[in-house]
Amino acid sequence: MPAASPAILAVGAIMVDLVCHMPRLPQSGEGAVAESVRARVGGCAFNSANMLRQLGVPHTLFAPVGEGIFAGFVERELHARGLEALRVPARGDGAVLDSGGCVCLVEPDGERTMLTLPGIDRHFERSWFDELDPSCFGYGLASGYEIEGAGGDAIISFFEDHADIRLYYAPGPRILGVGPAKTARINALHPVWHLNDQEARAYTGCSSLEAAGLAIAQECGNAAVITAGAAGASVFADGSCTTVVAEPVDVVDSIGAGDAHLGALVAARAAGRTWKDALAIANCAAAAVCQVEGGVLDDKTFASLGIRV
């Protein structure tokens, strides 16, 4: 009987995604009208953790819920899935920030453009981590949205204090906003980077995906996993590249696809899968998310996929 996978710690945000389907992105000064609008629970940590839950992988969702309109929506959505989030104490003035939100503008081809509405997720405090038993976790996930914010130092310092937790870092669209000082601290932990091709090129200035991937892998002293939509995903490690192509799908939107890919990838690696097998599993999870509105699959749809790690 195989040994159980080590638990995974998903640090980051639970947010409300306002998914707005648009015929095109508005121009500066224009008044545009969405064709449809839906509210969905989302956020990098939630999207990844939901995939871990559906895969049956031991994990902890370490994401704060504040107080306010968005927080109330998040609470109801978590309860419906049997999930819990981090309850944070009030600040010295008695105030608690609301949960964050994200306006997701979705074009007809499924591409999403995001406007983040920051909330409590950008204000992590080091004391919040005191309730954790770090020895329980073999892997950790962290994203650039939260690390860029005022609470980013608290997140980094936790992983610095527990460097035996293997970190997967997903800088996301805020890859340049995180800044060189925080990025250097993260790279000193030798994390696996997980990002898309646009982010990789923006960060490195490289014109080719291969050059960007090799540059990031060398910088972090580990592996760099780069997703490229319909072209699949590649891992750059030890000076070489392994690519697994994606199966073609009809894309509804790409919200949360990268987060699902990350969750499935880490789950597969924690279970001892090779990079090639882990990429194939992650590609399947991300493709399924692209075929539904919002960043998560319902449990019935997930079960029908037959994804296992």
Side-chain angles (χ1 to χ4, degrees):
M1 184 174 181
S5 299
I8 299 169
L9 178 65
V11 179
I14 308 174
M15 310 176 76
V16 177
D17 287 342
L18 302 175
V19 183
C20 307
H21 286 270
M22 309 288 295
R24 59 176 175 79
L25 294 182
Q27 299 178 356
S28 178
E30 184 180 8
V33 177
E35 295 176 337
S36 66
V37 181
R38 298 285 188 277
R40 298 281 188 263
V41 64
C44 300
F46 171 80
N47 293 339
S48 294
N50 190 65
M51 179 57 62
L52 295 172
R53 177 185 67 85
Q54 291 174 324
L55 287 167
V57 175
H59 71 282
T60 293
L61 171 60
F62 197 76
V65 173
E67 292 182 2
I69 294 174
F70 283 171
F73 181 90
V74 166
E75 292 270 13
R76 292 190 296 273
E77 292 295 315
L78 289 176
H79 179 75
R81 292 170 172 81
L83 294 173
E84 293 187 1
L86 176 64
R87 302 301 188 270
V88 300
R91 300 181 302 185
D93 58 5
V96 177
L97 296 170
D98 198 356
S99 295
C102 185
V103 179
C104 307
L105 305 179
V106 181
E107 298 174 81
D109 65 354
E111 184 59 89
R112 87 287 185 268
T113 301
M114 299 181 293
L115 171 63
T116 299
L117 312 175
I120 197 168
D121 46 277
R122 302 264 289 190
H123 296 272
F124 270 76
E125 296 184 14
R126 187 63 176 83
S127 61
W128 295 355
F129 292 88
D130 291 346
E131 70 174 52
L132 293 175
D133 178 358
S135 67
C136 293
F137 303 105
Y139 297 83
L141 314 179
S143 71
Y145 274 115
E146 291 72 50
I147 288 178
E148 179 191 27
D153 287 326
I155 297 172
I156 297 172
S157 69
F158 171 79
F159 286 108
E160 287 173 334
D161 290 344
H162 305 286
D164 53 330
I165 299 176
R166 285 163 281 189
L167 177 62
Y168 280 65
Y169 173 53
R174 301 306 305 159
I175 187 168
L176 298 178
V178 171
K182 289 179 179 177
T183 299
R185 290 173 63 191
I186 292 168
N187 279 334
L189 298 170
H190 302 299
V192 173
W193 278 50
H194 184 278
L195 65 169
N196 67 31
D197 53 345
Q198 181 179 358
E199 294 157 359
R201 290 189 178 96
Y203 179 74
T204 62
C206 297
S207 58
S208 76
L209 181 66
E210 182 175 3
L214 292 173
I216 293 172
Q218 182 176 17
E219 180 180 320
C220 70
N222 200 328
V225 176
I226 301 179
T227 61
S234 302
V235 59
F236 299 85
D238 301 321
S240 63
C241 171
T242 298
T243 298
V244 177
V245 299
E247 295 293 329
V249 297
D250 293 326
V251 177
V252 173
D253 68 52
S254 57
I255 298 168
D259 303 329
H261 194 279
L262 174 60
L265 180 83
V266 180
R269 290 293 288 170
R273 296 284 194 141
T274 65
W275 277 118
K276 184 175 182 180
D277 288 346
L279 286 177
I281 291 168
N283 285 355
C284 183
V289 168
C290 284
Q291 296 177 77
V292 301
E293 184 180 73
V296 296
L297 299 168
D298 62 65
D299 290 351
K300 182 178 180 181
T301 300
F302 176 81
S304 69
L305 301 174
I307 300 176
R308 300 287 186 274
V309 296

